[in-house]
Amino acid sequence: MDMASFTGIVSGLSLIISAIYIGGDLHNFVNIQGLMIVFGGTIATTLITFQFKDVMAAFKAAYFVFSKDKEDPNEAVETMIKLSHISRRQGLLELGKVKTDSLFLKKACGLLADGSSEEVIRAALTTEIKSLQLRHFIVQDVFKKMGLYAPAFGMLGTLIGLVQMLSRLQDPSKIGPAMAVALLTTFYGSLLSTLFFLPIAGKLRSRTVIEIINLEIKLEGSISIIKNNNPVIIYEKLSSFISSRLRKPIKKANLKQKNET
């Protein structure tokens, strides 16, 4: 689980609820009509804007972000060095037998095993990376749009509440509930946007950046393998994608295997 996201949401909700509880009655901030207007309206407008499959993919991606830890680029570097050892000791054909859950890496190994040229490998893998960026952009845009729609429906709910309040001025007992709808819908819209939708879009974007870095590492690693670079050169080249303070040194035992060929 992504502890940063979990901690942020829990702490944010806790602070808001605590502030409400200290200042008065928590029940005053619960209004079914306001939730129907803001949440229901936001979901409905999102479905109008995007295809249903894109909305479902966005929510699945959000679940994945919160439930899975991000892949460490250092692991991608180490993986490519291990593949370079296999190619140097047993030949490129052995890379076609490598078992991996990464479809990108499987495609790269397949191209290497087939003896594809550097231009073919770079073109094929670059297309994969660009396609991933486009798919992820749509997923991020779903939550960005929801972050815009929620406050807008909050204002719409405020207008509805004001109209109801003004139409019932002759009955003072109904002014309070109407005013509650008017104010709480704005609160709900702002809360959903600032604490959920926009942060999730930002988290998805940061995950996309990290994933692209990992794919670029695998792409450049594949090019280095086809050029028969030794593991030391591959490590120095691929570690450039990682901040110097975050780089992990590869075990010397792994690097020394370059001399076994």
Side-chain angles (χ1 to χ4, degrees):
M1 176 177 285
D2 187 344
M3 290 306 298
S5 300
F6 179 77
T7 302
I9 289 178
V10 171
S11 60
L13 283 174
S14 299
L15 289 171
I16 292 172
I17 292 173
S18 298
I20 293 172
Y21 184 78
I22 292 172
D25 190 352
L26 193 61
H27 291 88
N28 292 335
F29 286 81
V30 178
N31 185 277
I32 301 302
Q33 290 173 284
L35 286 172
M36 290 172 60
I37 293 171
V38 176
F39 193 75
T42 300
I43 294 297
T45 309
T46 302
L47 290 173
I48 294 172
T49 306
F50 300 94
Q51 296 183 48
F52 183 78
K53 64 178 182 179
D54 292 331
V55 176
M56 293 303 298
F59 281 99
K60 288 179 181 178
Y63 171 78
F64 177 80
V65 163
F66 287 104
S67 62
K68 302 289 185 180
D69 291 327
K70 62 185 179 182
E71 183 182 354
D72 187 354
N74 287 289
E75 295 179 2
V77 173
E78 189 170 356
T79 296
M80 298 314 298
I81 290 176
K82 289 179 180 178
L83 292 180
S84 74
H85 291 321
I86 294 174
S87 67
R88 288 167 67 85
R89 292 197 306 266
Q90 303 175 41
L92 290 173
L93 284 176
E94 286 298 313
L95 295 180
K97 303 176 183 178
V98 171
K99 297 186 181 299
T100 175
D101 294 331
S102 171
L103 296 178
F104 185 89
L105 186 59
K106 190 174 184 65
K107 182 172 185 176
C109 289
L111 290 169
L112 290 169
D114 290 339
S116 302
S117 65
E118 176 183 344
E119 292 75 16
V120 171
I121 294 174
R122 187 178 294 279
L125 298 185
T126 298
T127 300
E128 284 283 341
I129 294 174
K130 289 182 178 179
S131 298
L132 178 138
Q133 285 179 295
L134 292 175
R135 293 194 301 271
H136 283 207
F137 173 79
I138 295 175
V139 168
Q140 296 163 26
D141 199 37
V142 168
F143 285 102
K144 287 180 181 178
K145 290 294 191 295
M146 291 179 76
L148 294 175
Y149 295 151
F153 274 98
M155 291 302 299
L156 182 60
T158 298
L159 295 175
I160 292 172
L162 290 175
V163 170
Q164 291 176 342
M165 184 187 69
L166 293 174
S167 65
R168 297 171 182 174
L169 288 177
Q170 71 279 6
D171 187 355
S173 64
K174 295 183 179 179
I175 294 177
M179 180 60 75
V181 175
L183 297 178
L184 286 178
T185 50
T186 299
F187 170 73
Y188 292 149
S190 298
L191 179 65
L192 288 173
S193 176
T194 56
L195 189 59
F196 292 99
F197 299 144
L198 293 180
I200 289 175
K203 177 68 74 172
L204 289 170
R205 182 181 181 280
S206 67
R207 280 296 184 93
T208 297
V209 171
I210 294 173
E211 187 168 354
I212 289 173
I213 289 174
N214 287 325
L215 296 184
E216 290 286 355
I217 288 173
K218 293 171 184 177
L219 187 157
E220 292 301 329
S222 300
I223 299 302
S224 296
I225 289 174
I226 203 71
K227 290 182 177 180
N228 200 30
N229 291 151
N230 68 56
V232 175
I233 294 176
I234 294 176
Y235 171 74
E236 294 299 335
K237 181 186 295 185
L238 301 186
S239 62
S240 300
F241 286 94
I242 308 171
S243 172
S244 57
R245 64 185 179 84
L246 298 177
R247 294 175 192 171
K248 292 181 181 179
I250 299 298
K251 295 179 181 179
K252 293 182 178 179
N254 288 337
L255 294 179
K256 286 180 179 178
Q257 292 184 34
K258 68 182 186 297
N259 297 319
E260 294 180 6
T261 56

